[in-house]
């Protein structure tokens, strides 16, 4: 995966491409299963012991970020939230339920993500089934009037599981070498989750 094109390079520096006028409220992700979470925890523990900062979220592969509840997308039509606002999960559950996502992924290597701020990740092998399911998800959301972040569009998507986060430049090579010691590896997926940006509330929409 060395030399792979980053989302930043695909989207470019045009402010319109970065959709700075849109408020993205939710994210969708493939969540690793319990066994895989233990592996990710073990890798992060090793990095922490070496004084390398890591991300604290459960292991996942982000599929998209979306604007909901009238913030840059069509209002969600089905369901309602606890305060009477439309519930975005009610719409996207239908979008994710028929996309044919794989239930296992191969993490092929470790890489410092290009265009990111000190992120060291395990890179997902880009199999055709995963790419097709991801594209179908975005197509379905677009047809439903949901605005999604270009950074995770099919053209720019760079599927990965983040391990090190905000790693100082002086530690990037060390962090990559440490993470690389765990790859390649095949991991299982628990399902697809939605999280609320800002509060980090998470809920599993689809269980594999």
């Amino acid at each position: 995966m060395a030399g792979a094109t980053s989302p930043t390079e695909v989207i470019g520096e045009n402010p319109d491409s970065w959709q700075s006028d849109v408020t993205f409220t939710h994210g969708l992700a493939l969540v690793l299963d319990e066994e895989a979470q233990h592996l990710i925890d073990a890798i992060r523990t090793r990095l922490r012991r070496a004084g390398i900062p890591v991300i604290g979220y459960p292991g996942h592969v982000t599929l998209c970020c979306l604007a909901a509840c009238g913030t840059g997308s069509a209002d969600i039509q089905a369901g309602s939230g606890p305060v009477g606002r439309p519930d975005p999960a009610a719409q996207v559950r239908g979008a994710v339920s028929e996309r044919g996502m794989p239930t296992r992924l191969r993490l092929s290597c470790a890489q410092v993500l290009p265009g990111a701020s000190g992120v060291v990740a395990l890179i997902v092998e880009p199999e055709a089934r995963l790419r097709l399911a991801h594209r179908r998800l975005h197509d379905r959301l677009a047809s439903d009037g949901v605005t999604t972040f270009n950074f995770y569009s099919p053209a720019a998507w760079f599927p990965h599981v983040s391990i090190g986060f905000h790693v100082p430049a002086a530690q990037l090579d060390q962090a990559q070498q440490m993470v690389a010691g765990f790859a390649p590896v095949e991991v299982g997926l628990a399902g697809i989750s939605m999280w609320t940006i800002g509060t980090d509330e998470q809920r599993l929409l689809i269980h594999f």
Side-chain angles (χ1 to χ4, degrees):
M1 294 297 295
T5 301
S6 71
T8 305
E9 293 171 303
V10 173
I11 297 172
E13 299 303 325
N14 183 346
D16 292 338
S17 297
W18 284 94
Q19 302 158 284
S20 57
D21 59 333
V22 179
T23 300
F24 293 98
T25 60
H26 295 81
L28 296 177
L30 292 167
V31 182
L32 275 57
D33 67 14
E34 185 175 359
E35 181 179 356
Q37 296 293 355
H38 288 317
L39 171 64
I40 298 302
D41 288 344
I43 301 172
R44 290 173 177 167
T45 296
R46 286 196 61 184
L47 265 63
R48 286 193 192 97
R49 289 174 178 168
I52 298 171
V54 300
I55 193 167
Y57 296 112
H60 66 277
V61 178
T62 302
L63 296 168
C64 67
C65 287
L66 54 93
C69 299
T71 55
S73 72
D75 288 342
I76 306 301
Q77 299 299 317
S80 61
V83 293
R85 297 178 64 191
D87 180 4
Q91 184 176 28
V92 301
R93 185 177 285 108
V96 302
S97 63
E98 303 171 356
R99 301 309 103 194
M101 291 286 178
T103 58
R104 299 190 68 80
L105 297 175
R106 179 179 168 85
L107 306 179
S108 59
C109 64
Q111 185 171 333
V112 177
L113 293 191
S117 178
V119 176
V120 178
L122 285 165
I123 306 304
V124 176
E125 192 169 281
E127 61 168 303
R129 179 183 176 186
L130 176 64
R131 291 284 183 184
L132 179 59
H134 178 257
R135 179 175 293 278
R136 285 175 173 169
L137 170 62
H138 278 257
D139 288 348
R140 170 63 186 270
L141 290 171
S143 71
D144 287 345
V146 178
T147 300
T148 56
F149 187 22
N150 289 339
F151 192 83
Y152 298 106
S153 68
W157 193 44
F158 195 71
H160 62 274
V161 179
S162 295
I163 306 293
F165 192 64
H166 292 318
V167 178
Q171 293 180 296
L172 283 173
D173 286 346
Q174 178 189 7
Q176 181 178 357
Q177 290 173 14
M178 292 177 68
V179 176
F182 292 86
V185 63
E186 186 175 293
V187 296
L189 298 171
I192 298 176
S193 70
M194 168 180 274
W195 81 90
T196 303
I197 297 171
T199 67
D200 289 338
E201 175 192 1
Q202 297 184 44
R203 46 180 153 170
L204 195 64
L205 298 184
I206 301 294
H207 187 273
F208 293 160

